[in-house]
Structure formats: structure tokens, C-alpha cells
Amino acid sequence: MMIGILCLAATLIIYGLTKRLYRIRPRVYLSPLLITPLILVIGLLWAQIPYEAYHSGGKWLSSLLQPATIAFAIPLYKYYNVLKKHAVEILISVLSGSVVAMFSSAFLAEWLHLDNQLISSLIPRSVTTPIAMNVSQVIGGVPNITAVFVILTGLLGAMLGPLVMKLFRIEGEVARGVLFGTSAHGTGTSKAFELSSLTGTISSISMILAALITLGVAPMLITVLHF
């Protein structure tokens, strides 16, 4: 238990330091969500600390994901009129993006000849971790593997999002919010809030919608594709 508490403290300290560094030099490769896990993995391997020991303390951070996700809804009240005005566009965009994400994941995994359990673990990769893990369990995947895919998707989304916006000249705050929220869940939403409060708010609602859509569509997708 003591090791778990020390690991929890180390995680918070490393994240705090990397967050401060990122504020000084806001570069994608210095993102705390990229640097913190890398340092932790290297540290755990060097100290030969098993994952179970780390998880005994780190699980408290995982438990905070659910209330943190709900907290994204707080700014929605401030921009209620904007959300109401663009509700149809947001819903259609998130629905399309979520379905494409699931289908593309399934077909890519099939093309790589992954087994059915890995395919099921990969399908919900584009939604926030707690819901992705639940969906994975329902459709026959491995929740822990799904969590890894979710983290990788979020990091890549946060890194590539600005490049995509620049390449396709996406300048609208609503469009940018949908882009990050649908493709990169909480990590993308954190990046979206760096652009503007409205972009982050749209991203948060897109993330929630994407999670609900995935929760409903993923089991049907597995049935249709016979994985």
C-alpha cells in the first residue's frame, strides 16, 4: 500500500512539473499527457515495481475520470445559445465521426489479422476511458487494452489536430471543438480549451455525445460484422 501511495505522489509531482514546463514551452512533444506516462514507465521498469503495485495508488486517479468527465458539462450553460443554434450540425458531425471511427478501427484491425478480442478492444478507442472500457467489456474486448488504445488515440488526436486544422483551414470554433471532442475525447478537449473556452465547450459536448453513440452502436457493429 505504501508503494502505491508513493507512486500516486510521484504521478502528481511529475504531472505538475511537466505541466509547468508545457506552459513555458507549449510544444506538442512536451505535452504532460505524453511525457508523464513515459517517465512513469521508465521509472517503474528501473525500480522493478509491478503494475499492480502502482495501480493500488494510481487507481484513485482513474476513479476521478468519471466526475471529471461530468465536470466538462459545467461550461455548457454559458454557451447554451450557441449550442442550441448549432445542435443539428454538432449531432450529425459527431454521429458521422463516431461511426467512421468504429468502422475504420474494425476494418483496420481485420486487415492486420488481429484476433476478435483485440478487434473488440480497439473499436471504442475514440471515446473517454471509463465508457470505452465498459463498452469493451460488453462487446468482448479487454478493458485494459482498450485503455491503452484510448490513451494513444487521445495523444495522437491532440498532436495531429492542429495540423489537420491548418491543412484543411478549419477556423470555426464549433468545427474545431467537434474535431477534438469526437476524435480525441478528454485529451482533445483539454487541447481545445487551450484554443478558446467555446472550442473547449463544444469539444466537451462532442466527447459526451460520441461516448453515448459508441455505447449504443458498438454492440450492433459487432453483431453486423460477426467478429
Side-chain angles (χ1 to χ4, degrees):
M1 185 62 183
M2 182 57 66
I3 294 178
I5 294 175
L6 292 175
C7 288
L8 174 60
T11 302
L12 295 174
I13 292 171
I14 293 171
Y15 180 81
L17 293 174
T18 54
K19 183 70 173 180
R20 179 172 296 183
L21 175 62
Y22 183 73
R23 286 174 177 170
I24 298 173
R25 294 182 60 83
R27 302 289 185 270
V28 172
Y29 54 82
L30 293 178
S31 170
L33 296 175
L34 176 63
I35 301 299
T36 302
L38 183 61
I39 294 176
L40 286 173
V41 168
I42 294 174
L44 291 175
L45 290 175
W46 176 77
Q48 296 184 341
I49 297 176
Y51 173 75
E52 290 74 16
Y54 172 82
H55 185 64
S56 65
K59 65 182 180 181
W60 299 108
L61 292 176
S62 300
S63 299
L64 291 174
L65 283 173
Q66 297 184 33
T69 301
I70 299 301
F72 278 129
I74 295 176
L76 300 184
Y77 177 78
K78 181 178 179 181
Y79 296 105
Y80 174 76
N81 291 333
V82 177
L83 293 172
K84 183 178 180 180
K85 179 180 178 181
H86 298 282
V88 176
E89 295 96 322
I90 293 172
L91 180 59
I92 293 175
S93 298
V94 175
L95 176 61
S96 302
S98 299
V99 172
V100 168
M102 286 184 281
F103 270 92
S104 61
S105 298
F107 284 115
L108 177 61
E110 180 70 10
W111 180 68
L112 292 173
H113 302 293
L114 301 180
D115 62 41
N116 291 347
Q117 196 171 44
L118 280 177
I119 294 175
S120 298
S121 301
L122 185 61
I123 286 175
R125 64 179 174 80
S126 292
V127 299
T128 187
T129 304
I131 294 179
M133 294 178 72
N134 288 334
V135 172
S136 176
Q137 188 172 23
V138 169
I139 63 179
V142 181
N144 288 337
I145 294 178
T146 299
V148 174
F149 286 135
V150 170
I151 293 171
L152 291 175
T153 299
L155 289 173
L156 287 174
M159 293 171 64
L160 298 179
L163 298 177
V164 172
M165 291 189 302
K166 183 176 180 180
L167 179 63
F168 293 98
R169 299 180 180 179
I170 301 175
E171 299 178 353
E173 291 180 296
V174 174
R176 289 183 172 188
V178 171
L179 169 69
F180 279 112
T182 306
S183 63
H185 47 83
T187 307
T189 298
S190 177
K191 182 67 177 179
F193 271 109
E194 293 180 11
L195 301 178
S196 74
S197 179
L198 176 57
T199 302
T201 300
I202 299 297
S203 180
S204 65
I205 191 64
S206 299
M207 177 186 69
I208 295 170
L209 287 173
L212 294 175
I213 291 169
T214 301
L215 191 61
V217 174
M220 293 188 291
L221 176 63
I222 290 293
T223 303
V224 171
L225 298 180
H226 304 292
F227 288 135

